[in-house]
Structure formats: C-alpha cells, structure tokens
Amino acid sequence: MRARRTAAELEARAARAAPPGAAPPPLSEPLAMLQRRGLDPRPSRPDLPFPPGFDPAAVAALVDRLRHYAFRLFLRGAILRGAGFTPGQATRYVVPEKAREMADALVAIGLAAPLPRGRYRLVHRPRTFGGTLEWWLGEELRERLALQVATGVRSGAPGVGGDLDVVAAGEGKLLYLEVKSSPPKHVTQAEVGAFLRRVAAVRPDVALFVVDTALRLGDKIVPMFELALARGGGAGPVRRLFRETWSVGPHVYVVNAREDLVDNVCRAIAEGIRALAPQAP
C-alpha cells in the first residue's frame, strides 16, 4: 500500500505547482450573473441574416422593419426558402403588392438580391429565423429598458440542454426569455418542460416564455404550462394579466405578439420586477 503523503509533502507539492493562468476577459453583466450562479455561460455563434461588421445604418433599418409582425412573418418565410423565393411564396398573410414591397426592402437594406422572373434570394441566409428574433428582441430591450443583453447563451447548467435565448440584466435582476418563432401548434409539451427545467437551473429573477404569434395562448400554450406545473408539484395560480400575456407561476410569464410583441414583453418584465419589490407600507 502506498504510504500517505505527510503534511509537509502535500504543502511542498502545492508550492511547486504552476500558478493559475491569466484571468479570463471580463464578462458582460448577464453572463457574469450566470457565472455567479455557478454556471459556465458561453455565447454561441450568431445565426443572423447579415455578417459581422454589417453597416450599422442597415442594421438599424432591419430593427425598425422587424417591429412589424407582417415583416417578421415575411422574413421567416424567406429564410425557409434557401434557393430563392417570390414575394408570394414568403408569406400568404399580405397582399402581393405589400409582399413585393417587403422583398424590395430586404434588397435596399442589403439582405437580399433580386433574381430573374421576379424572384429574390437572401445574401447571408441564417439556418432559421429564431436567431434573428432573439437578436432583435435583445436590441429592443437595450433601447427601451436600458438592459444589458446577451443572446444565444449556452448556460453550462448540468443536465439542462438548449441555449438561453435571451438573458438580460438590470437593477441587479437577471431576466431570461425563451423565444419561439413558430406558431403555438408547433410548440410541444417537451419544450415547455425544458423551459421550466432551465428556469429551475438558472434561477432568474424573472422568466418569460415568448411566442411570436397573434394567436391565442390560452388555447394550447397555457394548458401545457398548467400540466407541466401540476406534474412538478408546484402550480400557479395561472392568470391572465392583459391581452394574451399570462402569469403562470411566481415571476414566470407567457407572452405573445398581440397587439405588439415588444410592448407585451416590456410590460411583463415590469410586472415581474414590481412583484419582486417589497410590499408598500
């Protein structure tokens, strides 16, 4: 049997060890707040319809365009058609003239190029629309609420898969937004459960499940939360706050795009932060 090292040997071995490497570069505040929770956050590669270093004026024009629900539907449809598209193929929710105007706007911004026979193609096509939606919401939260924001973050939480779509910091509070670009019929019970597991692992002060849709959430999404919460032994009460924005647990909210996505998100965040404040005298 190998003899145990003496205290002096252990101290001498530790003294001979090389010093630790240089400290990593400073993190943004949202990532630092995740690290303070014992996590190992790492930003993932952006998945956007423009390359790094893109013209800031064009980026600002895209942010402005994305405020319109119809344009978000159009861009989502354009991304799905990698080989090119006609305006009518990208969306069926606006008249042809409006669809063509949106396609021409993409060209003017520098995101698309015209093709023969009235077709267009994206110049820098992302894999999905999800990364663009997350990035845009982050830009809006910086501008409207002066939050520090990171998007597409791998949390490093053990046993919890998936990225944190949007994390933000403000007033010493950590906010987490799960963002869905698909309509409610494509959101699954498993995705709701995964979101709640991430909330339990990350422990944000306020969490939002954001679905970019004008359709009702009370028909499918809210019942899925009720089921997931009941299975976990901790429930609501689930209640509607305004429009199709719901409180589904302590400081956890479900939000849609009816009538304005960013306005609903900001109001839900305000509700969550106010709920964390001490009771008024």
Side-chain angles (χ1 to χ4, degrees), residues 118-130:
R119 294 173 59 80
Y120 300 78
R121 66 171 179 84
L122 295 180
V123 176
H124 190 86
R125 177 174 170 256
R127 296 187 305 274
T128 70
F129 179 61

PDB file of all heavy atoms in Angstrom, residues 118-130:
ATOM      1  N   GLY A 118     -38.776  37.816 -61.213  1.00  0.00           N
ATOM      2  CA  GLY A 118     -39.427  38.306 -60.010  1.00  0.00           C
ATOM      3  C   GLY A 118     -39.097  37.547 -58.745  1.00  0.00           C
ATOM      4  O   GLY A 118     -39.852  37.622 -57.761  1.00  0.00           O
ATOM      5  N   ARG A 119     -37.965  36.852 -58.739  1.00  0.00           N
ATOM      6  CA  ARG A 119     -37.576  36.102 -57.554  1.00  0.00           C
ATOM      7  C   ARG A 119     -36.475  36.852 -56.797  1.00  0.00           C
ATOM      8  O   ARG A 119     -35.812  37.757 -57.322  1.00  0.00           O
ATOM      9  CB  ARG A 119     -37.100  34.698 -57.933  1.00  0.00           C
ATOM     10  CG  ARG A 119     -38.208  33.828 -58.506  1.00  0.00           C
ATOM     11  CD  ARG A 119     -37.667  32.504 -59.026  1.00  0.00           C
ATOM     12  NE  ARG A 119     -36.992  31.735 -57.994  1.00  0.00           N
ATOM     13  CZ  ARG A 119     -37.605  30.991 -57.088  1.00  0.00           C
ATOM     14  NH1 ARG A 119     -38.935  30.927 -57.079  1.00  0.00           N
ATOM     15  NH2 ARG A 119     -36.922  30.300 -56.194  1.00  0.00           N
ATOM     16  N   TYR A 120     -36.264  36.436 -55.570  1.00  0.00           N
ATOM     17  CA  TYR A 120     -35.253  37.034 -54.708  1.00  0.00           C
ATOM     18  C   TYR A 120     -34.533  35.914 -53.950  1.00  0.00           C
ATOM     19  O   TYR A 120     -35.046  34.803 -53.814  1.00  0.00           O
ATOM     20  CB  TYR A 120     -35.886  37.982 -53.678  1.00  0.00           C
ATOM     21  CG  TYR A 120     -36.654  39.140 -54.268  1.00  0.00           C
ATOM     22  CD1 TYR A 120     -37.948  38.952 -54.777  1.00  0.00           C
ATOM     23  CD2 TYR A 120     -36.107  40.415 -54.304  1.00  0.00           C
ATOM     24  CE1 TYR A 120     -38.666  40.021 -55.310  1.00  0.00           C
ATOM     25  CE2 TYR A 120     -36.815  41.490 -54.835  1.00  0.00           C
ATOM     26  CZ  TYR A 120     -38.091  41.282 -55.330  1.00  0.00           C
ATOM     27  OH  TYR A 120     -38.810  42.333 -55.853  1.00  0.00           O
ATOM     28  N   ARG A 121     -33.353  36.243 -53.427  1.00  0.00           N
ATOM     29  CA  ARG A 121     -32.672  35.300 -52.528  1.00  0.00           C
ATOM     30  C   ARG A 121     -31.965  36.098 -51.439  1.00  0.00           C
ATOM     31  O   ARG A 121     -31.526  37.242 -51.665  1.00  0.00           O
ATOM     32  CB  ARG A 121     -31.655  34.444 -53.275  1.00  0.00           C
ATOM     33  CG  ARG A 121     -30.467  35.198 -53.829  1.00  0.00           C
ATOM     34  CD  ARG A 121     -29.388  34.277 -54.371  1.00  0.00           C
ATOM     35  NE  ARG A 121     -28.270  35.055 -54.916  1.00  0.00           N
ATOM     36  CZ  ARG A 121     -27.266  35.537 -54.171  1.00  0.00           C
ATOM     37  NH1 ARG A 121     -27.258  35.319 -52.871  1.00  0.00           N
ATOM     38  NH2 ARG A 121     -26.299  36.235 -54.747  1.00  0.00           N
ATOM     39  N   LEU A 122     -31.857  35.498 -50.262  1.00  0.00           N
ATOM     40  CA  LEU A 122     -31.129  36.136 -49.177  1.00  0.00           C
ATOM     41  C   LEU A 122     -29.631  36.021 -49.444  1.00  0.00           C
ATOM     42  O   LEU A 122     -29.134  34.976 -49.867  1.00  0.00           O
ATOM     43  CB  LEU A 122     -31.483  35.484 -47.842  1.00  0.00           C
ATOM     44  CG  LEU A 122     -32.937  35.651 -47.385  1.00  0.00           C
ATOM     45  CD1 LEU A 122     -33.160  34.950 -46.054  1.00  0.00           C
ATOM     46  CD2 LEU A 122     -33.315  37.132 -47.263  1.00  0.00           C
ATOM     47  N   VAL A 123     -28.906  37.097 -49.182  1.00  0.00           N
ATOM     48  CA  VAL A 123     -27.467  37.124 -49.428  1.00  0.00           C
ATOM     49  C   VAL A 123     -26.715  36.339 -48.364  1.00  0.00           C
ATOM     50  O   VAL A 123     -25.741  35.636 -48.644  1.00  0.00           O
ATOM     51  CB  VAL A 123     -26.967  38.582 -49.466  1.00  0.00           C
ATOM     52  CG1 VAL A 123     -25.445  38.639 -49.628  1.00  0.00           C
ATOM     53  CG2 VAL A 123     -27.649  39.345 -50.602  1.00  0.00           C
ATOM     54  N   HIS A 124     -27.145  36.440 -47.131  1.00  0.00           N
ATOM     55  CA  HIS A 124     -26.476  35.787 -45.991  1.00  0.00           C
ATOM     56  C   HIS A 124     -27.560  35.053 -45.198  1.00  0.00           C
ATOM     57  O   HIS A 124     -28.054  35.556 -44.199  1.00  0.00           O
ATOM     58  CB  HIS A 124     -25.770  36.845 -45.127  1.00  0.00           C
ATOM     59  CG  HIS A 124     -24.861  36.291 -44.086  1.00  0.00           C
ATOM     60  ND1 HIS A 124     -23.544  35.964 -44.344  1.00  0.00           N
ATOM     61  CD2 HIS A 124     -25.067  35.981 -42.781  1.00  0.00           C
ATOM     62  CE1 HIS A 124     -22.981  35.498 -43.247  1.00  0.00           C
ATOM     63  NE2 HIS A 124     -23.883  35.505 -42.288  1.00  0.00           N
ATOM     64  N   ARG A 125     -27.917  33.887 -45.681  1.00  0.00           N
ATOM     65  CA  ARG A 125     -29.088  33.195 -45.132  1.00  0.00           C
ATOM     66  C   ARG A 125     -28.749  32.469 -43.829  1.00  0.00           C
ATOM     67  O   ARG A 125     -27.840  31.645 -43.777  1.00  0.00           O
ATOM     68  CB  ARG A 125     -29.610  32.182 -46.146  1.00  0.00           C
ATOM     69  CG  ARG A 125     -30.775  31.343 -45.658  1.00  0.00           C
ATOM     70  CD  ARG A 125     -31.316  30.482 -46.777  1.00  0.00           C
ATOM     71  NE  ARG A 125     -32.277  29.518 -46.276  1.00  0.00           N
ATOM     72  CZ  ARG A 125     -32.019  28.223 -46.111  1.00  0.00           C
ATOM     73  NH1 ARG A 125     -30.820  27.748 -46.423  1.00  0.00           N
ATOM     74  NH2 ARG A 125     -32.945  27.409 -45.657  1.00  0.00           N
ATOM     75  N   PRO A 126     -29.482  32.763 -42.736  1.00  0.00           N
ATOM     76  CA  PRO A 126     -29.291  32.010 -41.496  1.00  0.00           C
ATOM     77  C   PRO A 126     -29.987  30.656 -41.572  1.00  0.00           C
ATOM     78  O   PRO A 126     -30.759  30.383 -42.492  1.00  0.00           O
ATOM     79  CB  PRO A 126     -29.953  32.917 -40.448  1.00  0.00           C
ATOM     80  CG  PRO A 126     -31.004  33.657 -41.210  1.00  0.00           C
ATOM     81  CD  PRO A 126     -30.471  33.837 -42.605  1.00  0.00           C
ATOM     82  N   ARG A 127     -29.715  29.809 -40.601  1.00  0.00           N
ATOM     83  CA  ARG A 127     -30.341  28.483 -40.583  1.00  0.00           C
ATOM     84  C   ARG A 127     -31.836  28.588 -40.335  1.00  0.00           C
ATOM     85  O   ARG A 127     -32.627  27.887 -40.962  1.00  0.00           O
ATOM     86  CB  ARG A 127     -29.696  27.602 -39.502  1.00  0.00           C
ATOM     87  CG  ARG A 127     -28.220  27.291 -39.761  1.00  0.00           C
ATOM     88  CD  ARG A 127     -27.691  26.282 -38.755  1.00  0.00           C
ATOM     89  NE  ARG A 127     -27.903  26.710 -37.382  1.00  0.00           N
ATOM     90  CZ  ARG A 127     -27.078  27.501 -36.718  1.00  0.00           C
ATOM     91  NH1 ARG A 127     -25.975  27.973 -37.297  1.00  0.00           N
ATOM     92  NH2 ARG A 127     -27.315  27.840 -35.456  1.00  0.00           N
ATOM     93  N   THR A 128     -32.220  29.443 -39.380  1.00  0.00           N
ATOM     94  CA  THR A 128     -33.623  29.614 -39.017  1.00  0.00           C
ATOM     95  C   THR A 128     -33.878  31.085 -38.719  1.00  0.00           C
ATOM     96  O   THR A 128     -32.939  31.894 -38.637  1.00  0.00           O
ATOM     97  CB  THR A 128     -34.003  28.780 -37.770  1.00  0.00           C
ATOM     98  OG1 THR A 128     -33.359  29.359 -36.609  1.00  0.00           O
ATOM     99  CG2 THR A 128     -33.572  27.325 -37.912  1.00  0.00           C
ATOM    100  N   PHE A 129     -35.137  31.423 -38.501  1.00  0.00           N
ATOM    101  CA  PHE A 129     -35.488  32.788 -38.113  1.00  0.00           C
ATOM    102  C   PHE A 129     -35.282  33.009 -36.609  1.00  0.00           C
ATOM    103  O   PHE A 129     -35.229  34.156 -36.160  1.00  0.00           O
ATOM    104  CB  PHE A 129     -36.952  33.057 -38.478  1.00  0.00           C
ATOM    105  CG  PHE A 129     -37.444  34.422 -38.098  1.00  0.00           C
ATOM    106  CD1 PHE A 129     -36.875  35.564 -38.627  1.00  0.00           C
ATOM    107  CD2 PHE A 129     -38.490  34.566 -37.195  1.00  0.00           C
ATOM    108  CE1 PHE A 129     -37.323  36.829 -38.276  1.00  0.00           C
ATOM    109  CE2 PHE A 129     -38.959  35.821 -36.838  1.00  0.00           C
ATOM    110  CZ  PHE A 129     -38.375  36.961 -37.372  1.00  0.00           C
ATOM    111  N   GLY A 130     -35.155  31.919 -35.850  1.00  0.00           N
ATOM    112  CA  GLY A 130     -35.091  32.054 -34.398  1.00  0.00           C
ATOM    113  C   GLY A 130     -33.986  32.962 -33.915  1.00  0.00           C
ATOM    114  O   GLY A 130     -34.199  33.800 -33.015  1.00  0.00           O
TER     115      GLY A 130
END
